[in-house]
């Protein structure tokens, strides 16, 4: 019996070693490519580092300057929060509306689902941002269409500080496909007998939507809202391409990530950019935490 127990223990240890062996590539990648750079960025955020000389320890000086003496930080925060507060709700509303329409049993559902999902695959690319700039330029496709249809001479939408940010919001809303697919999957999980019972009781489609569909879909809405909010805070490519990396006109498209990029790779203030990056992490973490805290009041699960 002791020999059998020892053999069993050795077999278990062998299985454990095999498991750790399979995990080793991921662990190395996490340590070297994720955890290491994260720790290095936190250290650099406490230094004055240009990338050309050794880091100079300055403590919390970068954070103090951000909080008290950086007007462009305030501008970047304002632009980014405006973008998030506009693009996320509009994208979710549009995605939910399309998902509800597709859930009605349209012919060729798979085709339409693929077509509507396509912008999410290509919408964040440089090529689409360049195309978007051509559409909303002074002589772009939008103004050509407005002139042909209504005789209206439109402005250069991307060069006007009053409208440039809204073109980026529109681009973000256009990339609604991933949220739409998730909403559609959630709608398919709602039992049809609930709707049948509501119809028998005389509930009209609008009442069914607000009394049945939305409450049962709140977990999916919550998931999409959190994911899309995080993505909106990290938006970069569209603003970089459309403004040629400047955040113009007059900083109207200066996303937080674009400002961080400028500080690091234009001004070579890597320590200051690292501090900006950590503030962004804290902002996203705070929004996510608040979302989870509020979820108990409006998200309805099976229990």
């Amino acid at each position: 019996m002791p020999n059998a127990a020892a053999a069993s223990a050795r077999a278990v240890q062998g299985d454990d070693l095999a498991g750790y062996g399979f995990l080793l590539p991921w662990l190395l990648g996490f340590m070297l490519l994720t955890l290491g750079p994260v720790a290095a960025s936190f250290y650099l955020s406490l230094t004055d580092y240009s990338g050309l000389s050794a880091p100079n320890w300055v403590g919390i000086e970068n954070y103090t300057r951000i909080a008290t003496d950086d007007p462009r930080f305030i501008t970047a925060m304002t632009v980014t929060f405006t973008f998030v507060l506009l693009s996320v709700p509009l994208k979710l509303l549009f995605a939910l509306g399309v998902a509800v329409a597709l859930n009605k049993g349209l012919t060729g559902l798979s085709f339409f689902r693929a077509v509507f999902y396509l912008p999410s695959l290509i919408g964040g690319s440089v090529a689409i941002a360049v195309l978007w700039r051509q559409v909303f330029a002074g002589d772009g496709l939008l103004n050509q269409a407005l002139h042909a249809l209504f005789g209206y001479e439109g402005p250069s939408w991307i060069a006007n500080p009053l409208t440039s940010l809204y073109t980026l919001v529109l681009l973000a809303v256009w990339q609604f496909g991933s949220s739409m697919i998730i909403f559609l999957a959630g709608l398919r999980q709602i039992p049809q007998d609930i709707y049948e019972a509501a119809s028998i009781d005389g509930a009209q489609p609008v009442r069914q939507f607000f009394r049945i569909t939305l409450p049962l879909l709140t977990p999916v809405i919550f998931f999409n809202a959190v994911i899309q909010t995080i993505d909106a805070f990290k938006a970069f490519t569209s603003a970089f391409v459309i403004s040629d990396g400047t955040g113009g006109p007059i900083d109207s498209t200066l996303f937080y990530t674009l400002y961080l990029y400028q500080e690091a790779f234009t001004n070579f203030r890597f320590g200051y950019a690292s501090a900006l990056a950590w503030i962004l992490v804290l902002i996203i973490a705070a929004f996510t935490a608040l979302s989870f805290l509020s979820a108990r009041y409006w998200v309805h699960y099976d229990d």
Side-chain angles (χ1 to χ4, degrees), residues 20 132 156 251 261:
Y20 286 124
W132 212 255
S156 178
D251 288 347
Y261 173 87

Side-chain angles (χ1 to χ4, degrees), residues 112-136:
F112 286 108
R113 187 165 51 195
V115 168
F116 287 134
Y117 183 68
L118 186 62
S120 291
L121 294 177
I122 64 175
S125 65
V126 173
I128 293 299
V130 172
L131 175 62
W132 212 255
R133 183 170 62 182
Q134 297 302 318
V135 170
F136 289 97

Side-chain angles (χ1 to χ4, degrees), residues 1 5 57 70 76 101 163 169 171 179 186 246 285 287 291 299 303:
M1 292 298 292
W57 180 267
D70 188 354
T163 58
V169 170
L171 176 57
S179 298
T246 65
F287 263 78
S291 299
V299 179
D303 56 352

Side-chain angles (χ1 to χ4, degrees), residues 230-254:
I230 294 173
D231 284 345
F233 272 114
K234 298 189 302 179
F236 171 79
T237 303
S238 58
F240 180 85
V241 173
I242 287 179
S243 70
D244 290 325
T246 65
I250 57 174
D251 288 347
S252 60
T253 60
L254 185 65

Side-chain angles (χ1 to χ4, degrees), residues 6 26 101 115 121 125 144-145 161 165 186 196 199 202-203 206 224 257 268 277-278:
W26 181 89
V115 168
L121 294 177
S125 65
Q144 292 179 22
L165 179 60
E196 294 172 0
S199 298
V206 174
N224 270 335
T257 51
F268 296 101
W278 274 95

Side-chain angles (χ1 to χ4, degrees), residues 82-92 168-170 172-173 228 232:
T82 302
F83 175 77
V84 172
L85 293 176
L86 288 177
S87 66
V88 174
L90 289 175
K91 180 188 289 188
L92 294 182
L168 300 182
V169 170
L170 187 60
V173 174
Q228 295 304 323

Side-chain angles (χ1 to χ4, degrees), residues 36-261:
V38 166
S41 71
F42 181 70
Y43 166 72
L44 291 177
S45 72
L46 302 173
T47 67
D48 179 16
Y49 179 52
S50 65
L52 303 175
S53 58
N56 178 37
W57 180 267
V58 295
I60 63 171
E61 182 179 315
N62 288 327
Y63 295 96
T64 302
R65 180 190 163 196
I66 290 172
T68 61
D69 190 29
D70 188 354
R72 294 199 80 206
F73 167 75
I74 302 299
T75 301
M77 289 286 290
T78 302
V79 171
T80 302
F81 271 87
T82 302
F83 175 77
V84 172
L85 293 176
L86 288 177
S87 66
V88 174
L90 289 175
K91 180 188 289 188
L92 294 182
L93 285 173
F94 196 72
L96 179 58
V98 174
V100 170
L102 292 179
N103 194 46
K104 298 299 183 181
L106 297 177
T107 304
L109 175 61
S110 299
F111 170 77
F112 286 108
R113 187 165 51 195
V115 168
F116 287 134
Y117 183 68
L118 186 62
S120 291
L121 294 177
I122 64 175
S125 65
V126 173
I128 293 299
V130 172
L131 175 62
W132 212 255
R133 183 170 62 182
Q134 297 302 318
V135 170
F136 289 97
D139 57 350
L141 296 178
L142 176 61
N143 282 341
Q144 292 179 22
L146 291 175
H147 179 73
L149 295 174
F150 308 106
Y152 175 70
E153 296 291 341
S156 178
W157 304 92
I158 61 171
N160 188 336
L162 298 178
T163 58
S164 56
L165 179 60
Y166 301 108
T167 64
L168 300 182
V169 170
L170 187 60
L171 176 57
V173 174
W174 180 65
Q175 302 170 43
F176 68 92
S178 59
S179 298
M180 181 268 297
I181 292 294
I182 296 172
F183 277 136
L184 186 58
L187 290 169
R188 291 298 179 90
Q189 298 301 312
I190 300 177
Q192 290 301 310
D193 54 359
I194 299 179
Y195 292 105
E196 294 172 0
S199 298
I200 294 173
D201 289 338
Q204 298 301 315
V206 174
R207 187 176 181 85
Q208 292 180 23
F209 177 77
F210 286 101
R211 295 290 186 175
I212 298 174
T213 305
L214 279 185
L216 294 179
L217 206 61
T218 48
V220 180
I221 296 173
F222 172 69
F223 174 81
N224 270 335
V226 171
I227 296 300
Q228 295 304 323
T229 300
I230 294 173
D231 284 345
F233 272 114
K234 298 189 302 179
F236 171 79
T237 303
S238 58
F240 180 85
V241 173
I242 287 179
S243 70
D244 290 325
T246 65
I250 57 174
D251 288 347
S252 60
T253 60
L254 185 65
F255 284 2
Y256 193 97
T257 51
L258 180 55
Y259 178 49
L260 190 158
Y261 173 87

